Amino acid sequence: MLVDGMALLFRAFYATSVTRQFMINSKGMPTNAIQGFLKHMLTAVNHFKPSHIAVCWDMGSKTFRTEMFEEYKANRPDAPVELIPQFEAVKKAVEAFDIPNIGLSGFEADDCIGTIAKDAVESSHVYVLTGDQDLLQLIEENISVVLLKKGFGNYEVHDPETFFEWKGISPQQMIDLKALMGDPSDNYPGVKGIGEKTALKLLQAYENIEGILENLVSLTRVQRERIEAAVEMLHLSRKLAEIKCDVPVACPLDTAKFEYDSDRVSKMLNEFEIKGLQRLMA
């Protein structure tokens, strides 16, 4: 199981911060994101029972995508002050379980997940735990994407068949779908005026961006004009949307076997003053 660390951490933080429950311990440190992250992770471990687990993280806001497009994710606000000390602390919590923390400067967690998942499929079935639909493009025969739903222990698990039933396209076509639609959360526009419904119809008819561009004459006048006006951004958006699966990271299976020292974990939980997780631990 590959865990999208940032997705779980942010989800955990905002679930309680909305009511200003930061769970500040006696040292004055907020722990709400760490507690929620561990609860999400351990609940998923108990549900899916992976033999091996690793957590992937973003390593700063500057990546090869910001070099390609300066406005990439530029719309995102600074992290709340209560979350900032929890970024490093959560990695210490993960280390206490002898789970590898993986990240690489210049790349996103998604790129690390994609690279490790593609490397591992020869010997394993890989589950990717996330709340981020961007990772759906990684789905293949031995890679399933587990989308977290509201609450704890609620999952939407997708393989190639369930994904096709849902979207009517292949997982690989998700890259072209995002390129057409753009992504407001990542702050790139795609083709203005093309939403998901139209983008899906175009991909079902013409397979990919190249096929659409070769058949512009078959589109409606409005669709043709919108795409012609945004061809350069369309190609750039596709590069931004595609997860890079050949970055220089590795996670040998023997380093990620899920076995931990209960005393070490208890010491970490005591240090952060986190309670209520013991029932999730085998």
Side-chain angles (χ1 to χ4, degrees):
M1 177 172 279
L2 293 170
V3 177
D4 183 352
M6 289 300 187
L8 268 66
L9 190 71
F10 275 89
R11 177 178 286 254
F13 178 80
Y14 286 111
T16 57
S17 69
V18 68
T19 52
R20 302 201 62 77
Q21 294 177 59
F22 298 113
M23 302 172 192
I24 295 169
N25 65 20
S26 65
K27 302 178 187 78
M29 180 181 165
T31 61
N32 63 321
I34 304 168
Q35 294 194 47
F37 173 91
L38 291 175
K39 190 173 176 184
H40 276 303
M41 184 180 76
L42 293 171
T43 302
V45 164
N46 289 335
H47 184 94
F48 294 98
K49 304 198 181 316
S51 56
H52 300 74
I53 184 168
V55 182
C56 294
W57 301 97
D58 291 343
M59 302 294 284
S61 59
K62 299 295 179 190
T63 68
F64 75 94
R65 291 183 180 86
T66 51
E67 288 175 15
M68 281 197 287
F69 184 56
E70 201 175 330
E71 296 302 305
Y72 182 74
K73 293 190 176 180
N75 58 335
R76 298 196 177 183
D78 292 336
V81 291
E82 295 87 358
L83 179 56
I84 290 168
Q86 299 188 70
F87 284 130
E88 287 307 311
V90 73
K91 291 177 186 174
K92 282 182 66 177
V94 168
E95 280 174 16
F97 283 91
D98 287 322
I99 294 171
N101 285 305
I102 296 168
L104 185 64
S105 181
F107 299 94
E108 294 180 46
D110 290 6
D111 303 309
C112 297
I113 289 170
T115 299
I116 295 164
K118 300 289 184 183
D119 284 346
V121 288
E122 294 297 320
S123 57
S124 313
H125 189 102
V126 180
Y127 288 92
V128 176
L129 182 66
T130 185
D132 184 356
Q133 292 193 18
D134 290 355
L135 286 156
L136 292 165
Q137 65 183 263
L138 298 177
I139 292 171
E140 57 180 70
E141 203 55 47
N142 279 334
I143 300 175
S144 300
V145 170
V146 180
L147 294 176
L148 294 165
K149 307 311 285 182
K150 195 170 182 181
F152 290 91
N154 299 315
Y155 308 108
E156 193 176 292
V157 184
H158 285 291
D159 57 28
E161 290 73 30
T162 63
F163 180 80
F164 184 81
E165 284 170 21
W166 178 26
K167 295 284 187 185
I169 58 174
S170 70
Q172 187 67 16
Q173 286 174 290
M174 266 294 287
I175 304 166
D176 298 75
L177 180 69
K178 282 198 68 184
L180 286 160
M181 291 168 50
D183 188 331
S185 70
D186 286 345
N187 203 41
Y188 60 88
V191 179
K192 285 176 182 170
I194 300 277
E196 182 173 20
K197 192 174 175 184
T198 301
L200 284 170
K201 281 183 180 174
L202 291 172
L203 290 171
Q204 286 159 0
Y206 305 112
E207 193 173 340
N208 53 32
I209 286 166
E210 289 74 21
I212 293 167
L213 293 175
E214 285 166 11
N215 288 278
L216 285 176
V217 68
S218 304
L219 308 188
T220 68
R221 180 182 60 80
V222 172
Q223 289 170 353
R224 184 169 63 250
E225 287 174 355
R226 285 173 174 168
I227 290 170
E228 284 176 338
V231 169
E232 197 175 323
M233 180 51 73
L234 182 58
H235 288 303
L236 176 59
S237 294
R238 192 185 196 286
K239 288 178 183 172
L240 295 171
E242 185 170 14
I243 291 172
K244 201 165 168 52
C245 294
D246 59 355
V247 303
V249 293
C251 182
L253 273 181
D254 60 351
T255 66
K257 189 167 177 58
F258 187 58
E259 292 175 335
Y260 59 87
D261 181 324
S262 297
D263 290 341
R264 188 180 176 203
V265 171
S266 294
K267 187 178 175 186
M268 176 273 294
L269 295 175
N270 289 336
E271 181 188 341
F272 291 131
E273 298 173 26
I274 293 173
K275 297 180 173 65
L277 290 179
Q278 299 291 355
R279 62 186 179 78
L280 295 173
M281 292 160 55

